[in-house]
Amino acid sequence: MSHLKYHNLIAGQWLPAASGKTSLNVNPADHADIVGEFPSSGAEDVNRAVEAAKAAFRIWRLVPAPKRAEILLRTGILLQERKEEFARQMTREMGKVLAETRGDVQEAIDEAFYVAGEGRRLFGVTTPSELQNKFAMSVRMPVGVVGLITPWNFPMAIPSWKLFPALVAGNTCVIKPATDTPLSTYNLVQTLADAGIPEGVINIVSGGGSDAGQALVEHPDVRAISFTGSSAVGSHVGQRAAATFKQVSLEMGGKNAMIVMQDTNLDLALDGALWGAFGTTGQRCTATSRILLQRGIAGAFTERFVARAKRLKIGNGLDESVEVGPQVNASQIETSRKYVEIAKNEGAELLCGGHTLTDGACANGTFFEPTVFAGVKPAMRIAREEVFGPVVALLEFDAFEQAVEIANSIDYGLSTSIYTKNVNRAFAAMRDLEAGITYINAPTIGAEVHLPFGGVKQTGNGHREGLGAIDFFTTWKAVYVDYSDKLQRAQIDNAE
Ligand code: NAP
Ligand code: MG
């Protein structure tokens, strides 16, 4: 079957990698389906892209922010028109079901409209001066050329969380998409270009993390790196970026706990648990990967949860009746398989799943069964380490305080949730769960773009996307205007 060949966008031109090398983007639900061929870029391509972004920054930083925002508004409208086409392409390249890829594109649309409004805000601060006839203010300045590195699980939404705030604030961008999902990021960049983004303001360089990604992190003219991915790679990126004193935002993994109190509506908790654990085939940084059950409902919940997990329809996400798509690639399958072995050896009880699927609708892809472990203890690796697949651990507890302690006992701190009808417990959970996000009576997934997104501990290094993104992509400048017509020395002339 013939397939399309895609290029990098550098200085407004679509170009192959300098080396001429390419890699194939394969549909994880059907390996015979080649989604496209993409450049395998390296340092030379990154250098050109950064050069283009540097040149464009001289012009883009002077474009009034409300004008920059209008391009984002047009991008959002174009994405609405292209939503169905882009969602179908995303399901083919990444595997998640159509309802979810439509949601991924929708998130980019929401982000476009949200950030477009920022063009008329980007508020600074005025404050009195300690001296007479002197005016003081703080204004937001763009950072310069920013490098964006993104994962494959939200291949349009996550790039939009980074690109749109960076652009509205006056930065110019070089983005390196995940090797598994360059097409969705390419579609986003193409749409920005169609909406009128000037040449060089946004550049996309497809290629491997240790080639193009590393070159971007190490480039001396890149002033900030915004990275989303695993904690292992994030730690490496942070350390390399420190060598050239870059600002770095790291959004990384999770091992997200849902607490189910016995006073809750069990049907509601079951719906949430199923969606949180197996939506996106468990490949979300916020996936519900630990379910903490209060002793009184543990038996009933477990039985019904496993029965429903077994009934989930698995297959190609383009089939609208399918509920769970493939994992993105063979190495993710290998990780799921490995953790099934680890959990069994630790003494956890496998209640369902645990195998790759190779028959029928799953014959030509990388599929793994929805998998549930019970009898999991907080110290086990299956309770502490991110699997990033359809594998969920059930733990039991007696009292609320114990559940909070178990939930907090890990190295990650992204998302948490509690199902309860007790308002006192709900408020205690909001305060005590160590995480960037807490849901009450909803699973650990479902973030909206205009709230802060990110986590604590090994999930992040203190920055936030969404509400916090403008803070990351701007730098404060203090401005003093002395209109006294004489030298006024702060801390000296006005001292008693
Ligand atoms: P990953 O392996 O860490 O890769 C993330 C990105 O970094 C990819 O573009 C990758 O390129 C690139 N990369 C790899 N090595 C690099 C290097 N040495 N220097 C610079 N860049 C490098 O993560 P993933 O497997 O794509 O995504 C899954 C992980 O992301 C999970 O841990 C998940 O929890 C996390 N995640 C976090 C959030 C959040 O907001 N907290 C959201 C979504 C996902 P290649 O694709 O070429 O390897
Ligand atoms: Mg692919």
Side-chain angles (χ1 to χ4, degrees):
M1 205 163 45
S2 72
H3 57 257
L4 281 177
K5 221 171 161 167
Y6 295 87
H7 294 311
N8 292 326
L9 180 65
I10 297 176
Q13 287 187 296
W14 295 100
L15 301 168
S19 67
K21 287 188 195 149
T22 60
S23 70
L24 291 180
N25 184 351
V26 177
N27 182 341
D30 175 6
H31 291 160
D33 178 22
I34 307 297
V35 180
E37 189 174 344
F38 285 83
S40 299
S41 312
E44 198 178 334
D45 307 289
V46 167
N47 291 346
R48 283 191 202 167
V50 172
E51 214 40 61
K54 248 178 97 174
F57 181 63
R58 288 189 207 108
I59 298 156
W60 185 242
R61 72 183 189 90
L62 300 178
V63 175
K67 286 283 158 207
R68 298 194 293 246
E70 282 170 20
I71 297 175
L72 298 182
L73 185 68
R74 278 201 295 279
T75 301
I77 293 166
L78 286 175
L79 286 172
Q80 284 180 318
E81 291 167 10
R82 300 172 185 184
K83 179 173 170 179
E84 188 60 22
E85 179 197 349
F86 286 174
R88 287 182 176 274
Q89 290 185 346
M90 193 188 297
T91 292
R92 278 178 64 207
E93 84 164 336
M94 186 272 169
K96 62 186 174 186
V97 299
L98 260 180
E100 294 187 29
T101 52
R102 288 180 187 127
D104 197 308
V105 180
Q106 185 59 45
E107 208 164 309
I109 295 165
D110 296 343
E111 179 75 11
F113 293 159
Y114 166 52
V115 176
E118 287 303 318
R120 288 185 185 271
R121 283 186 286 265
L122 288 178
F123 294 133
V125 180
T126 63
T127 182
S129 164
E130 64 188 48
L131 292 157
Q132 273 191 4
N133 296 322
K134 196 171 173 189
F135 184 83
M137 61 185 161
S138 309
V139 293
R140 291 181 183 274
M141 306 296 282
V143 177
V145 177
V146 300
L148 314 175
I149 300 176
T150 50
W152 45 261
N153 65 335
F154 281 86
M156 186 174 286
I158 292 178
S160 81
W161 296 357
K162 299 184 189 302
L163 280 171
F164 295 168
L167 292 170
V168 83
N171 304 286
T172 54
C173 303
V174 178
I175 185 165
K176 189 212 87 66
T179 300
D180 281 307
T181 56
L183 177 57
S184 297
T185 313
Y186 172 97
N187 283 339
L188 182 66
V189 169
Q190 172 77 67
T191 305
L192 276 158
D194 294 343
I197 206 93
E199 286 178 7
V201 170
I202 167 160
N203 305 274
I204 180 171
V205 179
S206 299
S210 46
D211 307 317
Q214 181 104 5
L216 194 56
V217 170
E218 292 179 350
H219 199 297
D221 293 334
V222 173
R223 294 311 323 138
I225 292 285
S226 179
F227 166 89
T228 299
S230 60
S231 296
V233 174
S235 168
H236 174 75
V237 164
Q239 292 179 53
R240 295 305 308 161
T244 41
F245 303 105
K246 292 178 174 61
Q247 289 179 211
V248 186
S249 170
L250 304 171
E251 295 292 345
M252 299 166 292
K255 186 74 186 179
N256 312 289
M258 169 194 286
I259 298 171
V260 185
M261 302 299 296
Q262 56 204 23
D263 66 30
T264 194
N265 171 348
L266 212 57
D267 292 322
L268 183 71
L270 278 160
D271 285 345
L274 218 68
W275 171 230
F278 302 121
T280 323
T281 322
Q283 302 171 122
R284 287 195 189 212
C285 50
T286 52
T288 306
S289 50
R290 295 184 291 162
I291 304 179
L292 278 46
L293 301 166
Q294 196 168 20
R295 204 80 63 188
I297 46 87
F301 181 98
T302 303
E303 193 179 316
R304 293 174 62 190
F305 182 65
V306 169
R308 287 184 63 179
K310 282 182 180 165
R311 281 205 307 273
L312 288 168
K313 183 167 176 189
I314 302 159
N316 190 325
L318 289 175
D319 172 346
E320 302 250 13
S321 69
V322 163
E323 294 166 288
V324 180
Q327 288 210 255
V328 76
N329 59 37
S331 115
Q332 291 301 129
I333 292 278
E334 184 47 32
T335 305
S336 296
R337 213 195 48 70
K338 185 184 89 183
Y339 273 98
V340 167
E341 286 316 306
I342 290 170
K344 280 189 195 161
N345 291 336
E346 289 177 312
E349 189 189 351
L350 180 63
L351 297 185
C352 69
H355 305 99
T356 54
L357 288 164
T358 50
D359 292 338
C362 301
N364 291 322
T366 41
F367 292 90
F368 202 83
E369 290 175 319
T371 300
V372 181
F373 279 101
V376 175
K377 302 285 176 263
M380 291 179 181
R381 288 180 64 190
I382 194 66
R384 314 184 70 80
E385 297 174 17
E386 185 180 53
V387 179
F388 224 58
V391 180
V392 60
L394 308 186
L395 295 86
E396 294 185 22
F397 65 92
D398 294 303
F400 167 75
E401 292 73 18
Q402 193 191 355
V404 171
E405 201 179 307
I406 296 170
N408 290 346
S409 68
I410 52 157
D411 292 331
Y412 293 112
L414 183 52
S415 186
T416 46
S417 103
I418 183 167
Y419 279 78
T420 182
K421 287 182 177 162
N422 181 326
V423 71
N424 298 352
R425 292 262 162 68
F427 273 86
M430 288 178 226
R431 183 192 59 198
D432 293 340
L433 289 170
E434 293 170 0
I437 308 169
T438 295
Y439 292 90
I440 310 297
N441 293 327
T444 56
I445 65 177
E448 301 178 27
V449 298
H450 55 302
L451 279 84
F453 186 92
V456 299
K457 299 199 257 183
Q458 290 185 19
T459 293
N461 65 341
H463 298 285
R464 289 292 182 272
E465 310 213 73
L467 183 64
I470 295 294
D471 289 331
F472 181 75
F473 287 114
T474 56
T475 170
W476 283 114
K477 174 179 270 190
V479 181
Y480 301 93
V481 184
D482 192 321
Y483 55 100
S484 68
D485 225 14
K486 62 182 183 208
L487 174 67
Q488 299 199 87
R489 297 174 303 171
Q491 297 95 35
I492 297 172
D493 291 336
N494 54 339
E496 290 303 312

